[in-house]
Amino acid sequence: MKRTSLNDIAKHLGVSKTLVSFVLNGKGKEFRISEEVCQKVMDVAKEMNYQPNRIAQGLRTGKTNTIGLIIADIANPFFGKLGREIEQEAARHGYRVVFSSSDENPEKSKEQISVLQQSQVDGFIISPPINSEDQILALSKGHTPFVLIDRYFPEIETNYIVVNNFEGAYNATNHLLKLGRKKIANITLNMNLVNMKDRTEGYKKALIDASIPVDENLIKVLPFSHDNKDVSKAIQELIGDRNDIKADAILFSTSKLGIMGIECISSMGFKIPDDIAIVSFDNADAYKICVSPVTVVGQPLNEIGKTAVHVLMNEITHPDMIHKFQKITLKTEFIVRKSCGS
Amino acid sequence: MKRTSLNDIAKHLGVSKTLVSFVLNGKGKEFRISEEVCQKVMDVAKEMNYQPNRIAQGLRTGKTNTIGLIIADIANPFFGKLGREIEQEAARHGYRVVFSSSDENPEKSKEQISVLQQSQVDGFIISPPINSEDQILALSKGHTPFVLIDRYFPEIETNYIVVNNFEGAYNATNHLLKLGRKKIANITLNMNLVNMKDRTEGYKKALIDASIPVDENLIKVLPFSHDNKDVSKAIQELIGDRNDIKADAILFSTSKLGIMGIECISSMGFKIPDDIAIVSFDNADAYKICVSPVTVVGQPLNEIGKTAVHVLMNEITHPDMIHKFQKITLKTEFIVRKSCGS
DNA sequence: TATTTTAGCTAAATCGATTTAGTGACTAAC
DNA sequence: GTTAGTCACTAAATCGATTTAGCTAAAATA
């Protein structure tokens, strides 16, 4: 049994499908269809369980009420939670979300943008991987509105929603300094990404302001597709040699790094915070229950998601507006727990 | 500037759009279009940056190469990881995934199924909430193929992929018993859901097999939308009174419960596993790094996701096949860590 | 009475693909 | 020299909506 179409209803009632369309779109009055006929149409539509074909609507109107979300990895709770906020806020505006995980891989993200464009999404929310500048530039020349989140490219004019990574890292490092830590390390990711770069810059600035020289050996930059081994190696280099322990604190630039790091530190038999203090970006669940709950630089995921959707909705509904890009930087929230001692 | 359509290419070359369509779909040979013309069409298509309009394709062919995934909450790492596996496997078959979080709310899931059907998804993967039997029944009478994951309804004939929850819980409980625990509690969710029910059944069976009477006061059933307070209350009842400690071990039926539980137990000043032993379903990241890493009943997320997509693809590509529903039960993996002592 | 309005509706174009059923020109066969 | 086949391509229908332009009969106005 086929699904009911406008035409089926029209034939069943002996009227035109134009009329049926008008009525079901609530434009009965506007096109002065008689009350009586309106009622009939609506009754039959219900009776035949009419469901509009959104694909057909999309083709005709050019609108799909769908937004494409491209993030690194939906399995990463940071993006999972962010995705959820976006999904929720989009739903409030009547939009669905198609998720794509790019794995921080620019080829993948290019492919995904392309496929989603072919699917006529009305807009994008993108957390762009490194080396995807050309794609973002191409997008910005097209007519599909988009918003970047988590990172952006300073050299390209776009909408973006990020947090104050510099300040967050500065505060976190400062916190460690105030507690007497002197040899503070930073484990981070590829710095071609502006958010990672800002975090390390903030870290350095805090050291400099405290008259502590920056030791590049204490900054461990891992590739995006890192695993336990990479983190383990970095930590080995920092505190592996008991006769020459190089660090008394670590600032992890992401929670994925931090979680792996803590696992590794524990397995080496070190105690947090006595042997080594820890601060991390992102308020992961794991941090709340681990050996000594971790002090974190939390990101306002709810606000990031909501704002991103708002900005996008604005672009979608006012496509012809003269352009002022929304460049929004939100505050981080510093949450003190036990991983830095006191 | 509008996007290039088949028609644009056809006009530009002075041929019919039929021909262009044939060529671009690789059917040039089959419809004996001359080599020369084929080449020209492909060159122009590239030159004009032709991107097929998938919406139009979808309308004509009835296929969107999209599957709808309805889960409880994409922010929950269990579903996030599962979603990722599904996304990955679907991509291998050329499919995109639209995620919807139902929050275990049957009204929401109904709405979402409806919207996704209107969007002509080619199939569904659903983790159905309680009281959504009618929707699943309705789906099974329609023509959109679907697969249930994580849970199913025994009274409805459908495809499903689940794990052996009974066995997982049985083994976990047995493990606790072998280590000398006598007063084992179970904190779980609404048992109208077959997976939760099976877990508690497995737990009970292990007790019975060890000749320990089942004490219903040790089984705490929380609502789906639980928060820290609910968990806290349950744990208070179990071990809150120092003069009358009712439990020496807890089996958590989900990791969300377990993580909240551990947070709560720690804040009450109890030590795991000395004061109380812990086992939980789901191998959450947090469990790897917490005070004493948690022994878990892990679910093979990769296999669940892959199998679900395979079964669905099979249904999509052979819609007319005589029906044998795939009812697949996968094994859980018991991972021993330190939360039960030794 | 002739003309204009209005009410209430419909025909047909359109979005951008796919696909069926041909068409005309040329060659080969009987 | 008619018929049949092959080659290389095209016209037009179709999917299911939206939307513009227009039509007819009755009512209102001049």
Side-chain angles (χ1 to χ4, degrees):
Chain A
M1 219 188 39
K2 241 190 44 193
R3 281 178 40 193
T4 314
S5 74
L6 270 193
N7 227 335
D8 298 335
I9 299 180
K11 275 187 190 151
H12 188 260
L13 277 171
V15 298
S16 72
K17 57 180 175 179
T18 307
L19 185 151
V20 178
S21 171
F22 285 158
V23 173
L24 295 180
N25 284 311
K27 297 187 182 161
K29 282 254 165 55
E30 185 183 335
F31 288 92
R32 33 184 198 203
I33 312 298
S34 67
E35 274 295 329
E36 195 193 331
V37 175
C38 279
Q39 200 46 249
K40 260 193 213 160
V41 168
M42 296 197 299
D43 289 349
V44 171
K46 182 159 267 177
E47 186 187 312
M48 298 175 78
N49 187 31
Y50 171 69
Q51 308 265 105
N53 182 324
R54 291 185 185 241
I55 286 269
Q57 288 178 324
L59 180 58
R60 178 62 234 242
T61 62
K63 282 219 53 192
T64 56
N65 285 274
T66 301
I67 67 183
L69 174 63
I70 298 179
I71 54 184
D73 182 4
I74 192 71
N76 178 332
F78 172 75
F79 287 113
K81 285 181 183 165
L82 195 46
R84 184 63 207 281
E85 299 293 344
I86 289 170
E87 183 196 345
Q88 225 151 26
E89 190 62 24
R92 259 178 229 124
H93 291 84
Y95 278 71
R96 266 150 295 130
V97 177
V98 184
F99 289 76
S100 285
S101 302
S102 72
D103 280 317
E104 303 284 5
N105 178 333
E107 275 95 51
K108 273 199 192 171
S109 103
K110 185 170 189 177
E111 172 66 20
Q112 284 157 350
I113 290 177
S114 166
V115 168
L116 289 174
Q117 266 182 324
Q118 292 169 14
S119 307
Q120 306 262 79
V121 295
D122 296 332
F124 284 102
I125 296 180
I126 304 178
S127 176
I130 40 172
N131 299 325
S132 65
E133 289 87 340
D134 52 339
Q135 300 159 34
I136 302 302
L137 201 59
L139 256 189
S140 73
K141 286 182 181 147
H143 36 29
T144 314
F146 68 98
V147 182
L148 303 186
I149 53 172
D150 194 43
R151 26 233 147 109
Y152 66 102
F153 299 116
E155 68 275 23
I156 309 179
E157 284 286 309
T158 62
N159 298 297
Y160 62 78
I161 323 286
V162 296
V163 298
N164 196 330
N165 289 297
F166 181 90
E167 190 185 271
Y170 184 92
N171 291 343
T173 310
N174 230 356
H175 178 75
L176 289 166
L177 289 166
K178 273 195 214 141
L179 291 170
R181 306 285 168 166
K182 295 265 149 52
K183 298 179 287 180
I184 303 174
N186 175 215
I187 298 187
T188 183
L189 298 179
N190 191 317
M191 299 232 235
N192 292 324
L193 219 48
V194 75
N195 58 344
M196 291 302 146
K197 193 175 161 212
D198 286 354
R199 290 175 196 184
T200 297
E201 295 294 334
Y203 152 85
K204 287 182 178 174
K205 186 65 168 35
L207 293 178
I208 291 167
D209 285 359
S211 309
I212 294 182
V214 172
D215 178 355
E216 292 290 341
N217 293 318
L218 293 183
I219 302 177
K220 302 292 178 189
V221 180
L222 305 190
F224 261 110
S225 52
H226 53 282
D227 57 15
N228 266 308
K229 276 177 209 153
D230 300 302
V231 179
S232 180
K233 180 162 169 279
I235 290 181
Q236 275 293 342
E237 288 171 13
L238 292 173
I239 58 175
D241 181 358
R242 301 239 167 195
N243 300 317
D244 179 22
I245 291 188
K246 300 200 170 61
D248 58 9
I250 303 177
L251 166 64
F252 288 100
S253 287
T254 77
S255 58
K256 200 173 160 192
L257 288 169
I259 290 172
M260 289 178 174
I262 292 172
E263 203 177 346
C264 177
I265 289 168
S266 300
S267 72
M268 288 166 71
F270 286 100
K271 291 271 174 284
I272 300 169
D274 302 342
D275 298 325
I276 188 150
I278 299 287
V279 188
S280 172
F281 263 77
D282 302 339
N283 191 17
D285 285 340
Y287 286 157
K288 298 173 189 164
I289 62 169
C290 65
V291 191
S292 38
V294 180
T295 295
V296 298
V297 179
Q299 301 197 44
L301 297 175
N302 175 278
E303 212 180 332
I304 298 175
K306 260 195 176 165
T307 314
V309 172
H310 277 157
V311 170
L312 192 60
M313 288 299 133
N314 203 40
E315 294 260 329
I316 290 174
T317 45
H318 309 292
D320 38 0
M321 227 177 51
I322 297 131
H323 248 71
K324 249 200 185 166
F325 289 105
Q326 300 281 326
K327 304 175 176 192
I328 298 176
T329 303
L330 302 172
K331 278 205 174 310
T332 55
E333 186 194 6
F334 194 58
I335 303 172
V336 176
R337 298 206 182 93
K338 302 184 175 170
S339 64
C340 303
S342 55
Chain B
M1 219 187 40
K2 241 190 43 194
R3 280 176 45 192
T4 314
S5 75
L6 271 194
N7 226 336
D8 298 335
I9 300 181
K11 275 187 189 152
H12 189 262
L13 278 170
V15 297
S16 72
K17 57 179 175 180
T18 307
L19 186 150
V20 178
S21 172
F22 285 157
V23 172
L24 296 181
N25 284 312
K27 297 187 183 163
K29 282 253 163 59
E30 184 183 337
F31 288 92
R32 34 184 196 199
I33 311 299
S34 66
E35 274 295 329
E36 196 193 331
V37 175
C38 279
Q39 201 46 250
K40 259 192 212 160
V41 168
M42 298 198 297
D43 289 349
V44 172
K46 181 159 266 178
E47 188 186 311
M48 297 174 80
N49 187 31
Y50 172 69
Q51 309 266 105
N53 183 324
R54 292 184 184 242
I55 286 268
Q57 288 178 324
L59 179 58
R60 178 62 233 248
T61 62
K63 283 219 49 192
T64 55
N65 285 274
T66 300
I67 67 185
L69 174 62
I70 298 179
I71 53 185
D73 182 3
I74 191 69
N76 178 333
F78 172 75
F79 287 113
K81 285 180 183 167
L82 195 47
R84 185 61 207 282
E85 299 293 343
I86 289 171
E87 183 196 345
Q88 225 150 27
E89 190 60 27
R92 259 177 228 123
H93 291 85
Y95 278 71
R96 264 149 296 130
V97 177
V98 185
F99 290 76
S100 283
S101 302
S102 72
D103 280 316
E104 302 286 5
N105 177 333
E107 275 94 52
K108 272 198 193 174
S109 101
K110 184 169 189 178
E111 172 66 18
Q112 284 156 350
I113 290 176
S114 166
V115 169
L116 289 174
Q117 266 182 324
Q118 291 170 14
S119 306
Q120 306 263 79
V121 295
D122 297 331
F124 284 102
I125 296 180
I126 305 179
S127 176
I130 40 173
N131 299 325
S132 65
E133 288 88 340
D134 52 339
Q135 300 159 34
I136 301 302
L137 201 59
L139 256 190
S140 72
K141 286 182 182 148
H143 37 28
T144 313
F146 69 98
V147 183
L148 304 185
I149 52 172
D150 193 43
R151 24 236 156 101
Y152 67 102
F153 298 116
E155 69 274 23
I156 309 179
E157 284 286 308
T158 62
N159 299 297
Y160 62 77
I161 322 286
V162 296
V163 298
N164 196 330
N165 289 297
F166 182 90
E167 191 186 271
Y170 184 92
N171 291 343
T173 310
N174 230 356
H175 178 77
L176 290 167
L177 289 166
K178 275 195 213 140
L179 290 170
R181 306 285 167 165
K182 295 263 148 56
K183 298 179 287 181
I184 303 174
N186 175 216
I187 298 188
T188 183
L189 298 180
N190 190 316
M191 298 231 236
N192 291 323
L193 219 47
V194 74
N195 58 345
M196 291 302 146
K197 193 175 160 211
D198 286 355
R199 291 174 195 184
T200 296
E201 295 294 336
Y203 151 85
K204 286 183 179 174
K205 185 66 169 35
L207 293 178
I208 291 166
D209 285 358
S211 308
I212 294 183
V214 172
D215 178 354
E216 293 290 342
N217 293 318
L218 292 184
I219 301 177
K220 302 293 180 189
V221 180
L222 304 190
F224 261 111
S225 52
H226 53 282
D227 58 15
N228 265 308
K229 275 177 211 153
D230 300 302
V231 179
S232 180
K233 179 162 169 279
I235 290 183
Q236 275 292 341
E237 288 171 12
L238 291 172
I239 58 174
D241 180 358
R242 301 238 167 196
N243 300 318
D244 179 23
I245 291 188
K246 300 201 170 60
D248 58 9
I250 303 178
L251 166 64
F252 289 101
S253 287
T254 77
S255 59
K256 202 174 158 190
L257 288 169
I259 290 172
M260 288 177 174
I262 291 173
E263 204 177 344
C264 178
I265 289 169
S266 299
S267 74
M268 288 166 72
F270 286 101
K271 292 269 175 285
I272 300 168
D274 302 341
D275 298 325
I276 188 150
I278 298 287
V279 188
S280 172
F281 262 77
D282 302 339
N283 191 17
D285 285 340
Y287 286 156
K288 298 173 189 164
I289 62 169
C290 65
V291 190
S292 40
V294 179
T295 295
V296 297
V297 179
Q299 300 198 45
L301 297 176
N302 174 277
E303 212 180 333
I304 298 175
K306 262 196 175 163
T307 314
V309 173
H310 278 159
V311 170
L312 192 61
M313 288 299 133
N314 204 40
E315 295 261 329
I316 290 175
T317 45
H318 309 292
D320 38 0
M321 228 176 49
I322 297 131
H323 248 73
K324 250 200 186 167
F325 289 106
Q326 300 281 327
K327 303 172 176 195
I328 298 176
T329 303
L330 302 171
K331 279 203 173 309
T332 55
E333 186 193 5
F334 194 59
I335 302 172
V336 176
R337 297 206 182 93
K338 302 185 175 170
S339 64
C340 303
S342 55

